[in-house]
Amino acid sequence: MALGNRHSFCWIAGVLPRDRFLDAAAEPLTDNAELQLAARRQLDTELSPEVGEEELAGAAERLGRQAPGRWRWIWAALVLVASVAMMFGPLWKGAMAWLEARAQMAPLVFASESRLSFHESLSKEDRLLLFGDESVPEGSGRWLPLWESDPENPMFYLEYATADYGTIPEDFLEVGERLDPGNGWFALKAAATGARDVLEREGPGRRDREARGKTVWIVNDESDVARRIELVKQGAMAERIESYHGRLAELRFSKLPRPGEFAESIPIMVYLASMRIDVDEQRLAELFAFEAGRCEREGDREAFRELATAWDRLFRARLEAARTLVETLIVNAGMGLSLPEMSSAAESLEVDAAMWKSRADRWQARKDTLKTASDADLEERTARYGSMLTSFSLPSISRQVLDPPQVTRADLLPATRVEQALLGRMMSGAGWLLLGLFGLASLSVVGMQAPLTRRMAKVLGRAFALRDALWIGGAGVLLPLAIYLVMRYATPLGRMEWGPRLTMYAVPVSHFVGLLLMWIVWPVVVAERRAVHGLGVLGWKRPGWWAWSAAVAPLAGMLCFSFAVPPGSTTVPLGVAGIACGAWSLVWFLGHAGRGVFGAARIRLQRGTVARAVRPAWLGAMLSLALLVVFFHAEERRWFAQDDLLKLGPGFTAYEAEVTEQLKRELREVIE
């Protein structure tokens, strides 16, 4: 007999392997003799009679290991600290960007938030240029300090003097002549401001059929209307016409911070969209139309010649000065309002009748074509591959021109990837909280168990060695993460090029949900498998088909959603099948956890032991989610830098700037 053999020595010493196992399991309970005795009795009844002595001796040796100590709490603390450190920056930045956008969209409601990170990054001078005096809610008083900072600057004066809609200072023309001699915009602005009070159309679009389709005008003050028309001619015939709106927009944009990610661009877009645009040019068009009708009625050919020259100079100058799509559309509307009257007067007075008729006809033909024109390829392309922003904005913007700029699938990809990365960042943060809740729930499950089961589960947890922990962490955490990343980035199954209009990002969302379900279920299944390897003497069984089906179900659901795109006849059935797979995995897990609380004593003991082994793996999954937040943040910034369609500028987005230039070319063709 080999006396050096440990098992043989135990048998010679009179300590049977069965008793040694029971002693090892009950030894940590010496502080409570009643619990210790109950533990020996329960384990004695659960030991399988077919178990060999070597298996019992090996199990006793594993239980005799030193308790793991505080490493679980240290691991939890490290995960918490590292996760907060990694997620704080990206998530905090997004939250601050949202608050900043909210403050700028409603400065009166959120006045206390008017100076957040966006404002603090600016100098005092730049803040005054961009926002004026923020202590004044609105109106000219807000912009008076800007003008006072440079009293000889006509651009700043115009921003101050025109801030109150419908009114201008009494000395507006005098100050304008002093600050900017030769600029006709001051006279034009003076003519347009308050014009609706003295001249208005009788109902928008209403026509008097007896007057050959002419607009019916209501004149409240004939002398004032005449004065304004003279100002229009004076301004239009001036040396130059400069409203400074475009130059001011460019100056302000140069002071704005350059966004590096989508969240940072939100307050920039809100600010650009909130910049004031002068719509009084519509009043100028109404004055042109009224004066043309008067010349036609009174046969005043010379006055019409002068008016025609003024019209030509004004609209050419305003067309060249327009920087944004809205400005150009205002010019287009003014042309449409005045051209019919100008053409009719030119025909009656026989003054360049062919030219004016051609202009009016070209403008009307362009308008009629735009009503029915539609770029079907762009509509379909943006619906399939555009982001939420591009799929809704690009088609509507492109419909403003006859020949919109071409947009390829490659052009749309960066914005879509930005949104998917942003979505991944948000889901990772939410998933981190969800797994944390599952971890707390597992603690609650253990806490709901009887003291005997809880103490025994802690002792039996010693049977899990480092190799078992590596198996649970590798197969339960790292393998699902690898599957998720490979499907997302290395295969077409990720459907990364598809936008939300047709898919609502169902593929990336379902894949992430599948990852969470795998992280919830797989460690449990692997831990039960390893528990049988270490504590098989208790008759614990390996995971059955139900458990393995619940483990495979999330992966099957991910594949179902992948094959549901592109949308077709199988989309709905595959989507339902994918949801059913995920639901089955979750139902199995909840039922499994429920039996750990309300099941038989043997089941409760096994589930409590497995729960202790699984919690470190879930902490590892939480750490992985924190890393994913950082990863998705970096991915978002990389694709954001490559997005040339939505790159911001003084004319808002790059695509809108291209459409603006195309619209200006088409309107130039109208007035040539």
Side-chain angles (χ1 to χ4, degrees):
M1 180 179 300
L3 296 178
N5 185 285
R6 183 184 301 130
H7 307 320
S8 300
F9 177 79
C10 294
W11 181 78
I12 290 175
V15 181
L16 296 175
R18 186 184 187 92
D19 293 330
R20 186 185 174 204
F21 173 80
L22 295 175
D23 290 341
E27 188 272 335
L29 305 178
T30 53
D31 60 326
N32 190 321
E34 184 179 354
L35 282 181
Q36 187 179 38
L37 180 61
R40 289 184 63 90
R41 288 175 178 174
Q42 180 175 339
L43 291 176
D44 189 41
T45 59
E46 292 184 7
L47 284 174
S48 175
E50 292 94 10
V51 177
E53 294 181 352
E54 290 189 3
E55 293 181 69
L56 282 169
E61 183 180 357
R62 284 189 286 272
L63 293 182
R65 294 174 182 146
Q66 185 178 0
R70 300 182 181 276
W71 73 267
R72 293 176 182 269
W73 295 107
I74 295 174
W75 172 237
L78 287 175
V79 168
L80 181 62
V81 171
S83 298
V84 171
M86 287 186 289
M87 294 192 302
F88 178 81
L91 297 180
W92 175 262
K93 186 179 294 185
M96 288 299 99
W98 179 81
L99 288 174
E100 204 166 359
R102 187 180 70 163
Q104 293 203 30
M105 285 187 289
L108 295 180
V109 178
F110 305 105
S112 61
E113 301 174 0
S114 61
R115 292 191 177 184
L116 299 173
S117 59
F118 176 84
H119 302 76
E120 295 303 325
S121 64
L122 303 170
S123 66
K124 182 179 179 181
E125 293 75 15
D126 292 345
R127 196 178 300 129
L128 181 63
L129 173 66
L130 293 171
F131 304 104
D133 183 357
E134 296 176 89
S135 64
V136 180
E138 60 183 1
S140 59
R142 188 180 183 96
W143 299 105
L144 179 59
L146 176 64
W147 179 41
E148 291 176 340
S149 68
D150 188 359
E152 300 302 316
N153 192 326
M155 179 169 62
F156 291 172
Y157 174 71
L158 275 171
E159 184 69 3
Y160 150 71
T162 61
D164 294 323
Y165 181 75
T167 62
I168 54 176
E170 293 183 359
D171 58 349
F172 179 75
L173 289 174
E174 291 77 8
V175 175
E177 182 62 26
R178 177 176 62 83
L179 296 179
D180 196 9
N183 185 1
W185 180 251
F186 287 89
L188 292 167
K189 181 64 180 176
T193 303
R196 275 285 176 90
D197 296 333
V198 296
L199 178 68
E200 57 183 324
R201 288 179 289 175
E202 189 177 310
R206 181 175 175 180
R207 301 285 178 173
D208 183 357
R209 296 182 180 179
E210 296 181 358
R212 298 168 51 198
K214 298 294 189 304
T215 303
V216 177
W217 297 97
I218 301 175
V219 181
N220 298 321
D221 189 334
E222 292 187 5
S223 62
D224 192 60
V225 171
R227 180 186 66 84
R228 292 175 184 275
I229 291 173
E230 288 303 315
L231 284 174
V232 169
K233 294 178 181 179
Q234 174 188 333
M237 299 303 293
E239 178 183 338
R240 55 192 172 81
I241 302 172
E242 174 62 80
S243 69
Y244 292 105
H245 180 272
R247 290 174 57 181
L248 182 60
E250 292 173 354
L251 179 61
R252 283 172 166 165
F253 183 78
S254 68
K255 305 299 183 182
L256 294 173
R258 295 296 177 264
E261 59 188 80
F262 181 75
E264 293 176 355
S265 71
I266 293 176
I268 309 298
M269 288 191 289
V270 171
Y271 179 81
L272 292 174
S274 65
M275 284 197 300
R276 185 163 46 88
I277 295 179
D278 197 339
V279 296
D280 277 347
E281 290 185 55
Q282 292 285 71
R283 309 292 84 78
L284 296 176
E286 291 177 354
L287 290 170
F288 272 108
F290 172 78
E291 178 64 6
R294 185 199 66 79
C295 292
E296 181 180 1
R297 290 192 305 272
E298 299 179 5
D300 194 341
R301 182 176 296 179
E302 292 305 316
F304 179 75
R305 289 183 187 276
E306 187 179 357
L307 184 71
T309 303
W311 188 100
D312 198 70
R313 282 180 56 85
L314 173 62
F315 279 95
R316 287 181 186 275
R318 296 305 300 145
L319 195 57
E320 293 303 320
R323 295 291 195 277
T324 66
L325 183 58
V326 175
E327 285 182 281
T328 313
L329 289 173
I330 291 174
V331 175
N332 176 57
M335 292 171 60
L337 179 62
S338 56
L339 271 176
E341 307 292 341
M342 296 291 291
S343 175
S344 176
E347 181 181 2
S348 299
L349 299 172
E350 298 180 351
V351 178
D352 298 325
M355 180 190 71
W356 285 102
K357 184 176 186 307
S358 178
R359 286 178 172 180
D361 290 345
R362 285 196 296 267
W363 189 91
Q364 188 62 44
R366 181 182 177 280
K367 177 183 177 182
D368 294 339
T369 304
L370 285 176
K371 288 181 179 179
T372 57
S374 176
D375 191 339
D377 291 339
L378 179 62
E379 291 272 1
E380 181 181 2
R381 198 176 300 116
T382 53
R384 283 173 172 263
Y385 309 114
S387 65
M388 185 70 73
L389 188 58
T390 56
S391 62
F392 284 102
S393 64
L394 262 60
S396 61
I397 293 174
S398 68
R399 284 193 287 270
Q400 306 304 320
V401 293
L402 298 175
D403 186 18
Q406 293 299 308
V407 177
T408 65
R409 182 171 168 179
D411 295 330
L412 295 168
L413 182 62
T416 303
R417 293 297 296 270
V418 165
E419 283 190 357
Q420 293 196 13
L422 177 62
L423 180 63
R425 182 151 54 109
M426 296 168 57
M427 291 190 299
S428 297
W432 189 89
L433 293 175
L434 182 63
L435 282 183
L437 292 175
F438 270 99
L440 293 176
S442 70
L443 289 174
S444 300
V445 168
V446 174
M448 294 172 62
Q449 293 177 331
L452 174 62
T453 303
R454 188 166 60 250
R455 294 286 300 275
M456 289 176 63
K458 183 176 181 180
V459 174
L460 295 180
R462 298 180 182 182
F464 287 93
L466 177 61
R467 178 183 299 179
D468 300 312
L470 292 176
W471 266 102
I472 297 171
V477 177
L478 297 182
L479 181 58
L481 179 61
I483 292 173
Y484 170 76
L485 294 176
V486 168
M487 288 185 66
R488 180 180 175 91
Y489 295 107
T491 70
L493 297 175
R495 302 291 191 256
M496 300 296 291
E497 73 279 9
W498 281 82
R501 277 279 295 277
L502 299 181
T503 67
M504 295 303 296
Y505 286 137
V507 175
V509 170
S510 64
H511 283 195
F512 191 83
V513 172
L515 173 64
L516 290 180
L517 289 173
M518 286 190 289
W519 272 343
I520 292 171
V521 174
W522 285 25
V524 174
V525 176
V526 175
E528 288 195 346
R529 179 72 175 80
R530 299 304 298 178
V532 172
H533 176 75
L535 295 171
V537 295
L538 294 176
W540 292 358
K541 298 185 180 299
R542 291 182 172 87
W545 286 107
W546 291 115
W548 289 112
S549 67
V552 174
L555 183 58
M558 294 164 66
L559 292 173
C560 286
F561 276 99
S562 291
F563 288 113
V565 176
S569 59
T570 60
T571 296
V572 174
L574 285 172
V576 172
I579 294 174
C581 289
W584 161 240
S585 182
L586 185 60
V587 167
W588 176 86
F589 174 79
L590 294 176
H592 186 274
R595 292 189 66 191
V597 179
F598 304 107
R602 177 169 163 273
I603 298 297
R604 294 199 305 271
L605 181 59
Q606 181 183 6
R607 302 291 159 80
T609 304
V610 169
R612 292 184 59 83
V614 165
R615 280 198 294 271
W618 280 347
L619 288 171
M622 292 174 65
L623 183 61
S624 300
L625 284 169
L627 290 170
L628 281 178
V629 169
V630 178
F631 173 78
F632 284 132
H633 189 210
E635 183 184 19
E636 177 192 345
R637 294 181 68 88
R638 179 169 67 88
W639 283 106
F640 186 84
Q642 300 178 35
D643 186 5
D644 294 327
L645 273 182
L646 300 182
K647 187 169 293 183
L648 297 177
F652 209 65
T653 65
Y655 182 77
E656 191 167 321
E658 290 185 48
V659 172
T660 300
E661 291 303 316
Q662 176 60 27
L663 177 57
K664 290 166 70 172
R665 284 192 291 269
E666 293 178 5
L667 293 180
R668 288 191 197 101
E669 293 176 359
V670 169
I671 61 178
E672 288 300 330

